[in-house]
Amino acid sequence: MRISKGKKLLILGIILVVIDQVIKILVKTNMCIGENFNVLGDWFKILFVENEGMAFGMKFGGNVGKACLSIFRIGLFGFLCWWISSLVHKGRRGPSGISAAVPTGALVGLTVIAAGAFGNIIDSLLYGQIFSASTTAEVASFGGSYAPVLFGKVVDMFYFPLIDTYWPEWMPFVGGNRFVFFEPVFNFADSCVSVGAVYLLFFQYRFFFSEENENQK
């Protein structure tokens, strides 16, 4: 039986979300906040942190910002689902006005971004309701409730301190301070959003230019 393009994209999205959630649940139910272990020497570590805001640990406007960000993520995910579905079923109008198929690569890139957005939405919506709080001394467990809906914390764990050293003492202003080349801690969902966006930017830019030109016409 032949699987339609739409179903293939749905399967891809589900697989990515499942991978994201499996990693997060394993980390959250087995590690305390701040606990870490090396995966590839000192260059790649699993470091359990939770963030209340944007990707890569950035924060945004306290509780109000958190709620707005969660709502924005839901809206963005809904828009991406609608756009992908529209492109799959209707295609896009070519230069001659005839409907043309959308490049599979563009659909895959958008699906990867949507899956990443949904992965972090799950954390915000549900984690506060189904887990107890993670602390520096206690591991979270199922059955707790540490935050209202939309206020769950996003689980991050991938840490790549490719360069972790100190500035020479003789340097003005920063001498003696710690320098980490890539300090943000992120998760699989963040990676999906970033990889999908970079892939579309570098390899599918023609699709978006053609869309823009068609809209102008």
Side-chain angles (χ1 to χ4, degrees):
M1 182 178 65
R2 185 176 180 180
I3 302 177
S4 67
K5 182 180 292 187
K7 289 182 178 179
K8 289 179 180 178
L9 294 172
L10 179 60
I11 292 171
L12 172 63
I14 291 174
I15 290 173
L16 294 176
V17 172
V18 169
I19 292 174
D20 174 65
Q21 289 301 305
V22 167
I23 295 172
K24 288 175 177 176
I25 291 172
L26 286 174
V27 168
K28 188 166 180 64
T29 57
N30 288 278
M31 299 177 69
C32 297
I33 293 289
E35 188 175 351
N36 69 89
F37 61 87
N38 292 345
V39 177
L40 188 61
D42 291 330
W43 286 13
F44 173 29
K45 301 181 179 182
I46 297 298
L47 169 62
F48 177 29
V49 300
E50 290 182 315
N51 85 72
E52 301 179 12
M54 303 172 70
F56 300 103
M58 294 182 287
K59 295 185 178 181
F60 179 68
N63 288 337
V64 174
K66 170 67 175 176
C68 291
L69 180 61
S70 296
I71 294 171
F72 171 77
R73 279 177 176 153
I74 294 171
L76 175 62
F77 174 71
F79 169 76
L80 286 173
C81 288
W82 168 82
W83 192 17
I84 294 168
S85 177
S86 177
L87 291 174
V88 169
H89 291 97
K90 298 180 181 179
R92 60 189 174 95
R93 295 180 67 84
S96 63
I98 301 174
S99 180
V102 177
T104 300
L107 293 172
V108 169
L110 291 171
T111 299
V112 171
I113 294 174
F118 187 63
N120 284 334
I121 286 171
I122 293 174
D123 296 31
S124 298
L125 282 179
L126 301 179
Y127 276 27
Q129 296 292 299
I130 63 177
F131 289 113
S132 62
S134 296
T135 70
T136 56
E138 295 183 3
V139 175
S141 60
F142 285 102
S145 179
Y146 74 84
V149 174
L150 294 181
F151 288 89
K153 297 178 181 179
V154 176
V155 175
D156 292 330
M157 75 294 296
F158 296 145
Y159 182 41
F160 289 86
L162 301 179
I163 299 176
D164 189 349
T165 185
Y166 289 87
W167 292 104
E169 293 288 348
W170 54 264
M171 293 190 68
F173 305 113
V174 296
N177 293 332
R178 186 184 179 196
F179 169 74
V180 180
F181 175 70
F182 191 75
E183 194 169 12
V185 183
F186 57 98
N187 58 44
F188 186 79
D190 297 333
S191 300
C192 288
V193 174
S194 300
V195 170
V198 171
Y199 170 74
L200 290 176
L201 178 64
F202 285 97
F203 298 101
Q204 299 296 326
Y205 61 90
R206 292 182 180 178
F207 164 72
F208 293 99
F209 282 145
S210 62
E211 284 282 293
E212 181 180 354
N213 292 336
E214 189 62 34
N215 290 334
Q216 290 176 352
K217 291 181 182 180

